[in-house]
């Protein structure tokens, strides 16, 4: 079955960067786009962007263009999101999700990022 | 950006009764291909969101048929018949018509 396994919680200092991972299994990795979604504590969902694992093409929410960088490693079926110049506003849970037939059908378990000195 | 407005923000339901959640978009979500790109998700406590309804009225795989979605170009409804304890959580509508893809604020469903 489809599974998206995300990296563990991260505690990072303000101004630093962090790279989150999302390892896919149970399907052909290059056939489906991976999207990333942010959820601040107690808040709703914000779409960050997506990547086409086959071509590496990316499409970002303008709000996150200078914050997030999406990449993939096809050899390990893993998608990555790097967040840069972190502030307290970036403290949140981040989800990767697989899109099929234009729907966010499968979700990772989420990675909690805490930005604190 | 397309704004998704949900109502109510919380609802309390007696098990076995029905519940309806509304979602309104600031722009038509009907594409020229005839598909309406609105979705419903449920986030159970401490869990990731899960897809319930896609393209306004299609039930996602494994979702009980107690759930149904309907609507027009800008007004949408999620109906839950015979609410059960496992339905507790926060329901979100979302749109995948145009960048940036956006979600509603969420509706919290609790049991009486």
């Amino acid at each position: 079955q489809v599974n998206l396994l995300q990296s563990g919680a991260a505690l990072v200092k303000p101004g630093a960067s962090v790279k989150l991972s999302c390892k896919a299994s149970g399907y052909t990795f290059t056939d489906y786009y991976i999207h990333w979604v942010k959820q601040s504590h107690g808040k709703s969902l914000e779409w960050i962007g997506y990547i086409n694992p086959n071509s590496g093409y990316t499409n970002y929410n303008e709000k996150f263009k200078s914050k997030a960088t999406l990449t993939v490693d096809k050899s390990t079926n893993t998608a990555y999101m790097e967040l840069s110049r972190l502030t307290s506003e970036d403290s949140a849970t981040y989800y990767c999700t697989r899109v099929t037939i234009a729907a966010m059908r499968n979700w990772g378990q989420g990675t909690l990022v805490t930005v604190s000195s | 950006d397309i704004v998704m407005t949900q109502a109510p923000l919380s609802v309390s339901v007696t098990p076995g009764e029905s519940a309806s959640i509304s979602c309104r978009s600031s722009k038509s979500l009907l594409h020229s291909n005839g598909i309406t790109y609105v979705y419903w998700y449920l986030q159970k406590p401490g869990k990731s969101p899960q897809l319930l309804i896609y393209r306004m009225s299609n039930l996602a795989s494994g979702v009980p048929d107690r759930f149904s979605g309907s609507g027009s170009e800008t007004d949408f409804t999620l109906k839950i018949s015979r609410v059960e304890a496992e339905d507790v959580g926060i329901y979100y509508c979302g749109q995948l018509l145009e960048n940036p893809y956006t979600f509603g604020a969420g509706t919290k469903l609790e049991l009486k």
Side-chain angles (χ1 to χ4, degrees), chain A residues 32 99-105, chain B residues 35 37 39 51 54-55 96:
Chain A
Y32 302 97
V99 169
T100 72
I101 319 178
M104 294 179 182
R105 212 166 289 269
Chain B
I35 296 172
Y37 286 90
Y39 301 78
L51 180 67
Y54 64 99
R55 297 180 179 179
L96 281 179

Side-chain angles (χ1 to χ4, degrees), chain A residues 12 30 37-39 41 53 56 94 114:
Chain A
V12 290
T30 50
V37 175
K38 176 185 181 182
Q39 186 172 38
H41 183 66
Y94 293 87
T114 304

Side-chain angles (χ1 to χ4, degrees), chain B residues 47-62:
Chain B
K47 299 294 186 182
S48 304
Q50 61 183 89
L51 180 67
L52 297 175
I53 301 288
Y54 64 99
R55 297 180 179 179
M56 191 171 70
S57 59
N58 295 277
L59 198 64
S61 176

